[in-house]
Amino acid sequence: MKIIITENMGEFNKVAADIVSRQIKNKPDSVLGLATGSTPLGLYAMLIDMYKKGELDFSRVKTFNLDEYRGLPKDHPQSYYHFMYENLFNKINIKDENVNLLNGNRDESYRECADYEEKIKAAGGIDLQVLGIGHNGHIGFNEPGTPFDSVTDLIDLSERTIEANSRFFDSPDQVPRQALSMGIKTIMQSRNIVLLISGNSKARIAAKALNGPITQNVPASVLQLHPFVTVVLDKEAAVYL
Ligand code: GLP
């Protein structure tokens, strides 16, 4: 694992944007795995900026998002579909047909999940997966206890996650109780991974995930087994490392 501790969010976002932009410049038809949440927002803003300056071309890039809530309409302000279009896709020259998100509204979720795995394989696998981390160590929506060999599946969200994500909804009862998420094995099959961790509320879980035992109780600890992971932290998230 390569660990990069940055001084502030400006540097944090720049380091992350350098990793993603280098990937796209080296391989213009890169397959990117993308994450939602507040942590990658600065990265996405920098990528948009680079595109606007003519430094980056997304016309051949393909993307696969990690996860999506079950049952929220696509245009719901808290759907990850909406998040990704608002915060990235509408502002760069990516082609709609190259954007892949799990459909949280398909009746047969298991088929949606199996099809997603096939689509990732057909695209040649993920070159670079961007990850955030939940306060309980989840990656994507793979909650503590998820087996390390899990593939894309329908997930029951933990109380901790529902509570953390309720900040985006009017009340906790509006937070969906289920989501579709790439599995841990699916994530581990990515050729390269960049894990972004910021803020003091993530400091304890960062130390557990990066320095603690590799255990299903801390899903992100599995990343210690991946040969090409870069972890970018801000100072606040790195205090217990
Ligand atoms: C959600 C997403 C995760 C994300 C996590 C952390 O639960 N499913 O993919 O990593 O939140 O989000 P934030 O960056 O807002 O702390």
Side-chain angles (χ1 to χ4, degrees):
M1 255 183 185
K2 183 174 170 191
I3 296 187
I4 304 175
I5 300 172
T6 58
E7 274 304 303
N8 51 50
M9 283 312 281
E11 193 192 335
F12 177 91
N13 294 330
K14 184 166 183 327
V15 169
D18 280 349
I19 295 171
V20 177
S21 60
R22 211 175 318 126
Q23 170 67 43
I24 298 171
K25 283 177 188 162
N26 287 343
K27 187 178 177 222
D29 60 346
S30 285
V31 180
L32 301 181
L34 297 179
T36 50
S38 24
T39 315
L41 278 174
L43 157 66
Y44 296 154
M46 281 210 173
L47 294 177
I48 293 166
D49 210 43
M50 287 171 157
Y51 161 70
K52 285 191 177 149
K53 287 185 185 145
E55 294 165 9
L56 266 188
D57 174 19
F58 290 85
S59 61
R60 295 170 62 202
V61 170
K62 282 198 179 127
T63 63
F64 285 88
N65 258 80
L66 274 172
D67 46 18
E68 177 59 284
Y69 287 117
R70 179 151 197 237
L72 284 190
K74 269 185 178 177
D75 59 359
H76 188 286
Q78 298 310 331
S79 80
Y80 287 168
Y81 179 96
H82 186 264
F83 176 101
M84 288 309 301
Y85 273 88
E86 278 293 298
N87 293 301
L88 186 63
F89 300 147
N90 281 339
K91 298 170 181 166
I92 55 174
N93 67 332
I94 193 156
K95 294 192 176 119
D96 250 345
E97 68 260 32
N98 287 339
V99 166
N100 296 279
L101 280 124
L102 283 152
N103 177 357
N105 289 297
R106 193 161 156 190
D107 285 340
E108 293 172 309
S109 294
Y110 72 96
R111 272 191 213 244
E112 177 63 17
C113 294
D115 288 353
Y116 207 63
E117 287 283 330
E118 284 309 313
K119 276 195 229 167
I120 295 173
K121 283 197 188 100
I126 293 172
D127 291 306
L128 175 64
Q129 175 68 57
V130 177
L131 288 180
I133 186 170
H135 291 97
N136 60 7
H138 73 216
I139 46 176
F141 265 133
N142 295 290
E143 300 286 25
T146 308
F148 284 167
D149 63 356
S150 69
V151 293
T152 304
D153 208 349
L154 179 65
I155 306 278
D156 291 324
L157 299 178
S158 71
E159 282 307 316
R160 183 82 176 86
T161 300
I162 292 167
E163 183 201 313
N165 291 2
S166 65
R167 69 190 195 277
F168 300 114
F169 291 81
D170 292 336
S171 78
D173 346 324
Q174 291 180 10
V175 186
R177 267 37 190 176
Q178 288 185 310
L180 280 63
S181 176
M182 266 189 212
I184 293 188
K185 184 170 154 199
T186 323
I187 293 171
M188 288 293 281
Q189 282 168 341
S190 310
R191 283 184 270 278
N192 297 278
I193 294 178
V194 56
L195 170 64
L196 306 176
I197 316 180
S198 66
N200 54 18
S201 72
K202 299 278 177 72
R204 285 191 192 282
I205 197 64
K208 278 194 188 172
L210 308 182
N211 299 335
I214 300 170
T215 160
Q216 293 182 4
N217 296 328
V218 181
S221 67
V222 73
L223 300 172
Q224 295 179 38
L225 299 173
H226 192 287
F228 299 108
V229 177
T230 304
V231 189
V232 186
L233 303 107
D234 67 349
K235 276 202 300 227
E236 286 74 21
V239 285
Y240 300 122
L241 293 192

